Amino acid sequence: MSPEQISATRNIPAPAADIFAILADPARHHDTEPSDWVREAVDAEPITAVGQTFNMNMYLQQIGGAYVMENLVSVFEPDRAIAWRPGMVGPDGTATPGGWQWRYDLTPGDGETEVTLTYDWSEATPEARANVPQWPPFPQSYLEKSLAALERAATS
């Protein structure tokens, strides 16, 4: 584990395929969010491959309210792992990557799936580091609450 990443793990009583289906569906990402930061998918096409992008409407009062993030899929291993690298979409419609990644690793078990969520900011740009007062910008508890939200989505 790098000093510039944090992780949380939770055993979720659902098949890995069901959990992966939620994570690969941008329209369901709001269901995995412990706050109201992630809103809705701009276009709800499922994630199918590394290199694909998907945009999400977001809201965070601390940075002025509504904005859009473009997410570049960096890992796609069905029912095993999925990750994306967000970049904020500017007024010209292009995304500026920040240098961080959200990654989910799924390990199927007997009647449950171990899910590890990792937030990695090791490639954060100097601009991102200058604009964020502390790294990580999320406490460990945020990842734990996110996994609890994912469990609710997978088991309801």
Side-chain angles (χ1 to χ4, degrees), residues 6-91:
I6 57 174
S7 293
T9 300
R10 185 179 188 99
N11 289 323
I12 297 177
D18 293 355
I19 296 167
F20 191 85
I22 293 168
L23 297 171
D25 182 356
R28 298 288 313 270
H29 284 197
H30 178 76
D31 297 336
T32 69
E33 176 62 33
S35 64
D36 198 27
W37 179 36
V38 174
R39 296 293 171 97
E40 66 276 335
V42 172
D43 101 59
E45 293 297 315
I47 299 168
T48 59
V50 168
Q52 181 179 349
T53 61
F54 64 96
N55 288 10
M56 298 296 297
N57 287 319
M58 311 286 284
Y59 186 90
L60 189 61
Q61 188 62 42
Q62 295 90 321
I63 65 168
Y67 61 101
V68 176
M69 292 297 276
E70 178 180 271
N71 300 281
L72 173 63
V73 178
S74 52
V75 175
F76 186 84
E77 299 171 22
D79 304 341
R80 289 292 194 186
I82 190 167
W84 51 87
R85 297 178 182 277
M88 187 173 286
V89 176

